[in-house]
Amino acid sequence: MKKLRLAIIGPGRLGRKCAELISDDQTLELAGIVQRADADTPSDFSKGVPVVTHISELKSVDAALLCVPPDEVMGVAKGLLQGRIPIVECARLHGEDFLRHKSEIHRVALHHKVPAVVGAGCDPGILSLFRGYFALLAPHGHTETTLHAGSSLHHSLAAEGIKGVRKALATELKPAGGIVQRYVYVELEPSADADEVERLIANDPLFLDEQTLVFSVPSIDALEETNRGVVLERHGKPGAAGHASFLLEARFDEIGLAARMMLAAAPSLATLQAGAYSLLDLPLSALWERQGTDEEKEWI
């Protein structure tokens, strides 16, 4: 099977993550990196990958992944579409801003007869899909989104006072009508016993009245830099049949998740008519086709 050749526009953190995932996928090939003439190429890109200042210098590009800052996306997208190159981007826009953004890219894509996938990242992106499916399951109701579990300095300092803990980060979640759930992330001293640290924190008077979960992590600084938290709750309208309620709770690397969604969306470009599409416009099978194990696919 012919590999899908993808160009990465922008060698920042998102671009590097996309390159890493492409190298691990046997159906994809990195056509090259496009960067500004005054930019330094990161040393962690694979040797032999072409690095150019304009996409016209690359050979056989099937699509481009836009990994540039949000305020640069529109200009870069228009230039690529004018060159008849399909694109996938993940600009973080919401509400009316996203609709105007999508409408303008749709206009340009139609004019040049090229498909584009917009908002194919984390949010908008995969979280938009979850919100949409929750609304489908409970059409009369409301959705609450908490982006980042609330952190508690007081509880973080208390956890850092436990013997064997080098650094700590305590976060909390307050489910609607439920008790507070406390998540404590600890960076341990080399000689520390993780089980003992967990026992001491759970039995500390400050944590006794709350459900407390303790997780050992290699670096609190890295956790705060890359990890994000989200809680989606969909509550059906009171009085509706079954009074449905749905909950999604997750922590994730936002950059990694955005890169994975961009790569999941890219193969669908070959099947799309000209115009701009969001993930909600694509059939679920198009995103799932190359993801997961065969056993997992059987459940679709």
Side-chain angles (χ1 to χ4, degrees):
M1 183 177 64
K2 181 179 180 294
K3 291 186 177 183
L4 184 67
R5 286 176 55 81
L6 301 175
I8 293 175
I9 315 298
R13 289 178 56 203
L14 178 58
R16 295 199 298 273
K17 189 62 179 179
C18 285
E20 176 187 328
L21 295 179
I22 290 173
S23 67
D24 291 336
D25 192 320
Q26 296 182 351
T27 66
L28 302 176
E29 184 176 354
L30 182 55
I33 311 295
V34 181
Q35 64 175 22
R36 298 191 311 269
D38 59 348
D40 295 327
T41 304
S43 59
D44 50 351
F45 276 121
S46 300
K47 294 182 179 179
V49 174
V51 179
V52 300
T53 58
H54 195 276
I55 197 165
S56 61
E57 301 174 59
L58 298 177
K59 298 179 180 179
S60 305
V61 175
D62 296 315
L65 307 178
L66 276 63
C67 302
V68 297
D71 58 351
E72 298 179 19
V73 168
M74 183 60 73
V76 174
K78 287 183 175 181
L80 291 167
L81 294 172
Q82 185 176 2
R84 303 291 177 88
I85 298 175
I87 64 169
V88 178
E89 57 93 347
C90 63
R92 294 190 62 178
L93 299 170
H94 298 88
E96 291 298 323
D97 289 338
F98 177 76
L99 293 178
R100 285 192 293 269
H101 175 82
K102 181 184 177 185
S103 178
E104 178 61 11
I105 290 185
H106 184 67
R107 182 189 68 82
V108 177
L110 282 178
H111 179 73
H112 295 291
K113 299 180 174 58
V114 187
V117 179
V118 300
C122 179
D123 190 17
I126 184 62
L127 296 185
S128 302
L129 291 179
F130 277 112
R131 292 190 190 97
Y133 293 136
F134 279 7
L136 177 66
L137 295 172
H140 303 292
H142 66 281
T143 301
E144 298 176 2
T145 303
T146 303
L147 295 174
H148 312 297
S151 61
S152 169
L153 178 61
H154 185 47
H155 288 79
S156 296
L157 292 175
E160 286 184 2
I162 299 295
K163 182 180 179 181
V165 177
R166 175 180 293 167
K167 297 185 71 174
L169 174 66
T171 65
E172 64 180 30
L173 168 66
K174 296 180 180 179
I179 63 173
V180 173
Q181 295 175 315
R182 184 77 56 187
Y183 298 83
V184 183
Y185 301 89
V186 293
E187 180 181 332
L188 301 177
E189 299 288 354
S191 60
D193 184 313
D195 292 336
E196 178 64 10
V197 167
E198 180 177 356
R199 186 188 69 80
L200 291 173
I201 291 177
N203 287 282
D204 186 286
L206 190 62
F207 296 92
L208 283 177
D209 295 332
E210 303 160 346
Q211 181 182 358
T212 300
L213 300 175
V214 181
F215 303 93
S216 176
V217 297
S219 170
I220 292 296
D221 291 339
L223 179 70
E224 291 183 298
E225 178 183 351
T226 63
N227 277 35
R228 296 293 183 266
V230 65
V231 177
L232 296 182
E233 292 182 90
R234 177 73 179 181
H235 301 283
K237 183 179 179 181
H243 194 184
S245 178
F246 301 93
L247 171 67
L248 168 71
E249 179 183 347
R251 281 195 76 86
F252 48 86
D253 174 357
E254 187 171 12
I255 296 295
L257 196 58
R260 193 166 294 281
M261 291 311 301
M262 293 179 76
L263 264 62
S268 67
L269 289 167
T271 67
L272 298 175
Q273 299 295 320
Y277 303 81
S278 71
L279 293 185
L280 289 170
D281 300 321
L282 304 180
L284 181 60
S285 59
L287 298 175
W288 186 260
E289 182 180 357
R290 294 138 54 88
Q291 310 300 318
T293 64
D294 291 336
E295 182 179 354
E296 290 167 334
K297 294 176 186 177
E298 291 176 359
W299 291 93
I300 297 240

